[in-house]
Short mmCIF file of all heavy atoms in Angstrom, two decimals:
data_model
loop_
_atom_site.label_atom_id
_atom_site.label_comp_id
_atom_site.label_asym_id
_atom_site.label_seq_id
_atom_site.Cartn_x
_atom_site.Cartn_y
_atom_site.Cartn_z
N LEU Z 868 95.20 86.55 87.83
CA LEU Z 868 95.60 87.82 88.42
C LEU Z 868 95.28 88.93 87.44
O LEU Z 868 95.66 88.85 86.26
CB LEU Z 868 97.10 87.81 88.74
CG LEU Z 868 97.52 86.87 89.88
CD1 LEU Z 868 99.02 86.62 89.84
CD2 LEU Z 868 97.11 87.44 91.23
N ILE Z 869 94.56 89.94 87.90
CA ILE Z 869 94.20 91.09 87.09
C ILE Z 869 95.03 92.26 87.58
O ILE Z 869 94.87 92.73 88.72
CB ILE Z 869 92.70 91.40 87.18
CG1 ILE Z 869 91.89 90.16 86.72
CG2 ILE Z 869 92.34 92.60 86.32
CD1 ILE Z 869 90.39 90.31 86.91
N ILE Z 870 95.94 92.72 86.74
CA ILE Z 870 96.97 93.69 87.13
C ILE Z 870 96.84 94.94 86.28
O ILE Z 870 96.99 94.88 85.06
CB ILE Z 870 98.37 93.06 86.97
CG1 ILE Z 870 98.48 91.77 87.82
CG2 ILE Z 870 99.46 94.04 87.33
CD1 ILE Z 870 99.71 90.94 87.53
N SER Z 871 96.53 96.04 86.91
CA SER Z 871 96.31 97.29 86.18
C SER Z 871 96.27 98.44 87.18
O SER Z 871 95.94 98.22 88.36
CB SER Z 871 94.98 97.23 85.42
OG SER Z 871 94.64 98.49 84.86
N PRO Z 872 96.58 99.65 86.76
CA PRO Z 872 96.39 100.80 87.65
C PRO Z 872 94.95 100.94 88.12
O PRO Z 872 94.69 101.54 89.17
CB PRO Z 872 96.80 102.00 86.80
CG PRO Z 872 97.66 101.44 85.72
CD PRO Z 872 97.14 100.07 85.45
N TYR Z 873 94.02 100.36 87.36
CA TYR Z 873 92.60 100.51 87.66
C TYR Z 873 91.96 99.21 88.14
O TYR Z 873 90.74 99.18 88.38
CB TYR Z 873 91.86 101.05 86.43
CG TYR Z 873 92.46 102.36 85.97
CD1 TYR Z 873 93.31 102.41 84.86
CD2 TYR Z 873 92.25 103.54 86.68
CE1 TYR Z 873 93.90 103.60 84.46
CE2 TYR Z 873 92.84 104.74 86.29
CZ TYR Z 873 93.66 104.76 85.18
OH TYR Z 873 94.26 105.94 84.80
N ALA Z 874 92.75 98.13 88.27
CA ALA Z 874 92.22 96.93 88.90
C ALA Z 874 91.97 97.23 90.38
O ALA Z 874 92.73 97.96 91.02
CB ALA Z 874 93.20 95.78 88.75
N LEU Z 875 90.90 96.68 90.92
CA LEU Z 875 90.61 96.89 92.34
C LEU Z 875 91.81 96.44 93.17
O LEU Z 875 92.33 95.33 93.00
CB LEU Z 875 89.37 96.11 92.74
CG LEU Z 875 88.04 96.58 92.12
CD1 LEU Z 875 86.91 95.65 92.51
CD2 LEU Z 875 87.73 98.01 92.52
N SER Z 876 92.24 97.31 94.05
CA SER Z 876 93.47 97.06 94.80
C SER Z 876 93.21 96.16 96.00
O SER Z 876 92.27 96.37 96.77
CB SER Z 876 94.05 98.40 95.26
OG SER Z 876 95.29 98.20 95.93
N GLY Z 877 94.05 95.12 96.14
CA GLY Z 877 93.92 94.20 97.27
C GLY Z 877 92.60 93.47 97.26
O GLY Z 877 92.06 93.13 98.32
N ASN Z 878 92.09 93.17 96.07
CA ASN Z 878 90.76 92.61 95.93
C ASN Z 878 90.81 91.12 95.62
O ASN Z 878 91.67 90.65 94.86
CB ASN Z 878 90.03 93.33 94.79
CG ASN Z 878 88.67 92.73 94.49
OD1 ASN Z 878 87.82 92.61 95.37
ND2 ASN Z 878 88.47 92.33 93.23
N ILE Z 879 89.89 90.36 96.21
CA ILE Z 879 89.66 88.98 95.81
C ILE Z 879 88.30 88.93 95.15
O ILE Z 879 87.27 89.18 95.79
CB ILE Z 879 89.72 88.02 97.01
CG1 ILE Z 879 91.10 88.07 97.66
CG2 ILE Z 879 89.40 86.59 96.56
CD1 ILE Z 879 91.21 87.26 98.93
N GLY Z 880 88.29 88.66 93.86
CA GLY Z 880 87.04 88.65 93.10
C GLY Z 880 86.39 87.29 93.11
O GLY Z 880 87.08 86.26 92.94
N HIS Z 881 85.09 87.26 93.28
CA HIS Z 881 84.36 85.99 93.35
C HIS Z 881 83.40 85.81 92.17
O HIS Z 881 82.59 84.88 92.18
CB HIS Z 881 83.57 85.92 94.66
CG HIS Z 881 84.39 86.15 95.88
ND1 HIS Z 881 85.47 85.37 96.23
CD2 HIS Z 881 84.31 87.12 96.85
CE1 HIS Z 881 86.00 85.83 97.35
NE2 HIS Z 881 85.33 86.89 97.75
N THR Z 882 83.48 86.67 91.16
CA THR Z 882 82.64 86.53 89.98
C THR Z 882 83.17 85.41 89.09
O THR Z 882 84.38 85.28 88.92
CB THR Z 882 82.61 87.84 89.18
OG1 THR Z 882 82.12 88.88 90.02
CG2 THR Z 882 81.71 87.73 87.95
N ARG Z 883 82.26 84.64 88.53
CA ARG Z 883 82.70 83.54 87.65
C ARG Z 883 83.24 84.09 86.33
O ARG Z 883 82.57 84.85 85.64
CB ARG Z 883 81.53 82.60 87.35
CG ARG Z 883 81.97 81.35 86.57
CD ARG Z 883 80.78 80.50 86.22
NE ARG Z 883 79.98 81.09 85.17
CZ ARG Z 883 78.71 80.79 84.92
NH1 ARG Z 883 78.07 79.92 85.70
NH2 ARG Z 883 78.05 81.36 83.93
N TYR Z 884 84.46 83.68 86.01
CA TYR Z 884 85.09 84.02 84.74
C TYR Z 884 85.56 82.73 84.05
O TYR Z 884 85.71 81.69 84.68
CB TYR Z 884 86.33 84.91 84.93
CG TYR Z 884 86.11 86.23 85.63
CD1 TYR Z 884 87.08 86.72 86.51
CD2 TYR Z 884 84.99 87.01 85.39
CE1 TYR Z 884 86.93 87.95 87.15
CE2 TYR Z 884 84.82 88.24 86.03
CZ TYR Z 884 85.80 88.70 86.91
OH TYR Z 884 85.64 89.91 87.53
N GLU Z 885 85.80 82.85 82.77
CA GLU Z 885 86.47 81.82 81.99
C GLU Z 885 87.25 82.53 80.89
O GLU Z 885 87.22 83.76 80.81
CB GLU Z 885 85.47 80.81 81.41
CG GLU Z 885 84.32 81.45 80.65
CD GLU Z 885 84.06 80.80 79.30
OE1 GLU Z 885 85.04 80.31 78.68
OE2 GLU Z 885 82.90 80.80 78.86
N PHE Z 886 87.95 81.81 80.03
CA PHE Z 886 88.79 82.47 79.03
C PHE Z 886 87.97 83.36 78.09
O PHE Z 886 88.47 84.37 77.59
CB PHE Z 886 89.59 81.45 78.23
CG PHE Z 886 90.51 80.61 79.08
CD1 PHE Z 886 90.61 79.25 78.88
CD2 PHE Z 886 91.24 81.18 80.11
CE1 PHE Z 886 91.45 78.47 79.66
CE2 PHE Z 886 92.06 80.41 80.92
CZ PHE Z 886 92.17 79.04 80.69
N SER Z 887 86.72 83.01 77.86
CA SER Z 887 85.87 83.85 77.02
C SER Z 887 85.63 85.22 77.64
O SER Z 887 85.28 86.17 76.94
CB SER Z 887 84.53 83.16 76.76
OG SER Z 887 84.72 81.91 76.12
N SER Z 888 85.83 85.33 78.96
CA SER Z 888 85.70 86.63 79.62
C SER Z 888 86.76 87.61 79.13
O SER Z 888 86.53 88.81 79.07
CB SER Z 888 85.83 86.46 81.15
OG SER Z 888 84.77 85.67 81.66
N PHE Z 889 87.95 87.11 78.78
CA PHE Z 889 88.97 87.97 78.21
C PHE Z 889 88.46 88.61 76.93
O PHE Z 889 88.60 89.80 76.68
CB PHE Z 889 90.25 87.19 77.88
CG PHE Z 889 90.89 86.48 79.03
CD1 PHE Z 889 91.69 85.38 78.81
CD2 PHE Z 889 90.72 86.92 80.33
CE1 PHE Z 889 92.31 84.73 79.85
CE2 PHE Z 889 91.32 86.27 81.38
CZ PHE Z 889 92.12 85.16 81.14
N LEU Z 890 87.86 87.76 76.08
CA LEU Z 890 87.33 88.27 74.81
C LEU Z 890 86.22 89.26 75.07
O LEU Z 890 86.13 90.30 74.40
CB LEU Z 890 86.84 87.11 73.94
CG LEU Z 890 87.91 86.34 73.17
CD1 LEU Z 890 88.78 85.51 74.09
CD2 LEU Z 890 87.29 85.47 72.09
N ALA Z 891 85.36 88.97 76.05
CA ALA Z 891 84.26 89.88 76.36
C ALA Z 891 84.79 91.23 76.82
O ALA Z 891 84.21 92.28 76.51
CB ALA Z 891 83.36 89.27 77.43
N PHE Z 892 85.90 91.24 77.56
CA PHE Z 892 86.50 92.50 78.00
C PHE Z 892 86.95 93.33 76.80
O PHE Z 892 86.67 94.53 76.72
CB PHE Z 892 87.70 92.20 78.91
CG PHE Z 892 88.33 93.41 79.54
CD1 PHE Z 892 87.85 93.94 80.72
CD2 PHE Z 892 89.43 94.02 78.95
CE1 PHE Z 892 88.43 95.06 81.31
CE2 PHE Z 892 90.02 95.14 79.53
CZ PHE Z 892 89.53 95.66 80.71
N VAL Z 893 87.65 92.70 75.86
CA VAL Z 893 88.10 93.40 74.66
C VAL Z 893 86.92 93.86 73.82
O VAL Z 893 86.88 95.00 73.33
CB VAL Z 893 89.02 92.49 73.82
CG1 VAL Z 893 89.37 93.14 72.49
CG2 VAL Z 893 90.30 92.18 74.58
N GLU Z 894 85.94 92.99 73.65
CA GLU Z 894 84.78 93.34 72.84
C GLU Z 894 84.00 94.49 73.45
O GLU Z 894 83.51 95.38 72.74
CB GLU Z 894 83.89 92.09 72.69
CG GLU Z 894 84.53 91.00 71.83
CD GLU Z 894 84.01 89.61 72.11
OE1 GLU Z 894 83.17 89.45 73.05
OE2 GLU Z 894 84.44 88.67 71.44
N THR Z 895 83.92 94.48 74.78
CA THR Z 895 83.26 95.59 75.46
C THR Z 895 84.03 96.89 75.25
O THR Z 895 83.45 97.93 74.95
CB THR Z 895 83.14 95.29 76.96
OG1 THR Z 895 82.50 94.04 77.15
CG2 THR Z 895 82.34 96.38 77.66
N ARG Z 896 85.34 96.81 75.40
CA ARG Z 896 86.17 98.01 75.29
C ARG Z 896 86.10 98.63 73.90
O ARG Z 896 86.04 99.86 73.76
CB ARG Z 896 87.63 97.64 75.62
CG ARG Z 896 88.66 98.73 75.32
CD ARG Z 896 88.40 100.00 76.13
NE ARG Z 896 89.33 101.05 75.78
CZ ARG Z 896 89.15 101.92 74.77
NH1 ARG Z 896 88.06 101.85 74.01
NH2 ARG Z 896 90.04 102.85 74.55
N PHE Z 897 86.09 97.78 72.86
CA PHE Z 897 86.17 98.31 71.50
C PHE Z 897 84.86 98.18 70.72
O PHE Z 897 84.83 98.45 69.52
CB PHE Z 897 87.30 97.62 70.74
CG PHE Z 897 88.66 97.91 71.33
CD1 PHE Z 897 89.37 96.91 71.99
CD2 PHE Z 897 89.21 99.18 71.25
CE1 PHE Z 897 90.62 97.18 72.54
CE2 PHE Z 897 90.46 99.46 71.80
CZ PHE Z 897 91.16 98.46 72.45
N GLY Z 898 83.79 97.80 71.39
CA GLY Z 898 82.49 97.73 70.73
C GLY Z 898 82.41 96.67 69.66
O GLY Z 898 81.74 96.86 68.63
N LEU Z 899 83.07 95.53 69.85
CA LEU Z 899 83.07 94.45 68.87
C LEU Z 899 81.96 93.45 69.16
O LEU Z 899 81.59 93.22 70.32
CB LEU Z 899 84.42 93.73 68.89
CG LEU Z 899 85.67 94.59 68.65
CD1 LEU Z 899 86.92 93.74 68.79
CD2 LEU Z 899 85.61 95.25 67.28
N THR Z 900 81.43 92.85 68.13
CA THR Z 900 80.40 91.83 68.28
C THR Z 900 81.03 90.53 68.77
O THR Z 900 82.08 90.12 68.25
CB THR Z 900 79.71 91.57 66.94
OG1 THR Z 900 79.16 92.80 66.46
CG2 THR Z 900 78.60 90.55 67.08
N PRO Z 901 80.45 89.86 69.73
CA PRO Z 901 81.01 88.59 70.20
C PRO Z 901 81.07 87.54 69.10
O PRO Z 901 80.34 87.60 68.11
CB PRO Z 901 80.04 88.17 71.31
CG PRO Z 901 79.42 89.44 71.76
CD PRO Z 901 79.30 90.29 70.53
N LEU Z 902 81.91 86.56 69.32
CA LEU Z 902 82.14 85.50 68.35
C LEU Z 902 81.20 84.32 68.54
O LEU Z 902 80.75 83.70 67.56
CB LEU Z 902 83.58 85.00 68.47
CG LEU Z 902 84.67 85.98 68.03
CD1 LEU Z 902 85.98 85.66 68.74
CD2 LEU Z 902 84.85 85.94 66.52
N THR Z 903 80.93 83.94 69.78
CA THR Z 903 80.12 82.76 70.08
C THR Z 903 79.21 83.07 71.26
O THR Z 903 79.28 84.13 71.87
CB THR Z 903 81.01 81.55 70.45
OG1 THR Z 903 81.53 81.74 71.77
CG2 THR Z 903 82.17 81.37 69.47
N ARG Z 904 78.39 82.10 71.58
CA ARG Z 904 77.54 82.26 72.75
C ARG Z 904 78.37 82.37 74.03
O ARG Z 904 77.97 83.03 74.99
CB ARG Z 904 76.54 81.10 72.85
CG ARG Z 904 75.54 81.25 73.99
CD ARG Z 904 74.39 80.28 73.83
NE ARG Z 904 73.54 80.65 72.71
CZ ARG Z 904 72.54 81.53 72.77
NH1 ARG Z 904 72.29 82.14 73.91
NH2 ARG Z 904 71.82 81.79 71.70
N ARG Z 905 79.53 81.75 74.06
CA ARG Z 905 80.37 81.80 75.25
C ARG Z 905 80.78 83.23 75.60
O ARG Z 905 80.62 83.66 76.74
CB ARG Z 905 81.61 80.93 75.06
CG ARG Z 905 81.41 79.46 75.34
CD ARG Z 905 81.17 79.17 76.81
NE ARG Z 905 81.27 77.75 77.09
CZ ARG Z 905 82.37 77.15 77.50
NH1 ARG Z 905 83.47 77.85 77.69
NH2 ARG Z 905 82.38 75.85 77.73
N ASP Z 906 81.34 83.97 74.63
CA ASP Z 906 81.76 85.33 74.98
C ASP Z 906 80.59 86.29 75.03
O ASP Z 906 80.68 87.35 75.65
CB ASP Z 906 82.88 85.85 74.06
CG ASP Z 906 82.57 85.77 72.59
OD1 ASP Z 906 81.79 84.89 72.18
OD2 ASP Z 906 83.13 86.56 71.81
N THR Z 907 79.46 85.91 74.44
CA THR Z 907 78.24 86.72 74.60
C THR Z 907 77.76 86.67 76.05
O THR Z 907 77.37 87.69 76.62
CB THR Z 907 77.12 86.20 73.69
OG1 THR Z 907 77.55 86.27 72.33
CG2 THR Z 907 75.85 87.03 73.85
N MET Z 908 77.83 85.49 76.64
CA MET Z 908 77.28 85.30 77.98
C MET Z 908 78.32 85.48 79.09
O MET Z 908 77.95 85.61 80.26
CB MET Z 908 76.68 83.89 78.10
CG MET Z 908 75.64 83.56 77.02
SD MET Z 908 74.29 84.77 76.94
CE MET Z 908 73.51 84.47 78.52
N ALA Z 909 79.60 85.51 78.75
CA ALA Z 909 80.65 85.55 79.78
C ALA Z 909 80.66 86.89 80.52
O ALA Z 909 80.41 87.94 79.94
CB ALA Z 909 82.01 85.32 79.14
#
């Protein structure tokens, strides 16, 4: 569940995610270099 004022409302997302996607979100937000190939590609 993605819960935020800016999460798409009433949305069912069909994009493939995994736990490395969380890291990719943070890395994208703060301009951090990924740790592994997993969060690079997630």
Side-chain angles (χ1 to χ4, degrees):
L868 292 163
I869 302 174
I870 302 169
S871 172
Y873 303 102
L875 293 175
S876 183
N878 175 55
I879 299 174
H881 306 301
T882 302
R883 187 184 73 201
Y884 301 142
E885 52 132 328
F886 300 137
S887 301
S888 296
F889 302 155
L890 280 70
F892 185 86
V893 173
E894 291 156 356
T895 306
R896 170 61 184 86
F897 296 110
L899 304 176
T900 303
L902 292 155
T903 75
R904 184 166 290 274
R905 277 291 193 94
D906 53 333
T907 301
M908 306 305 293

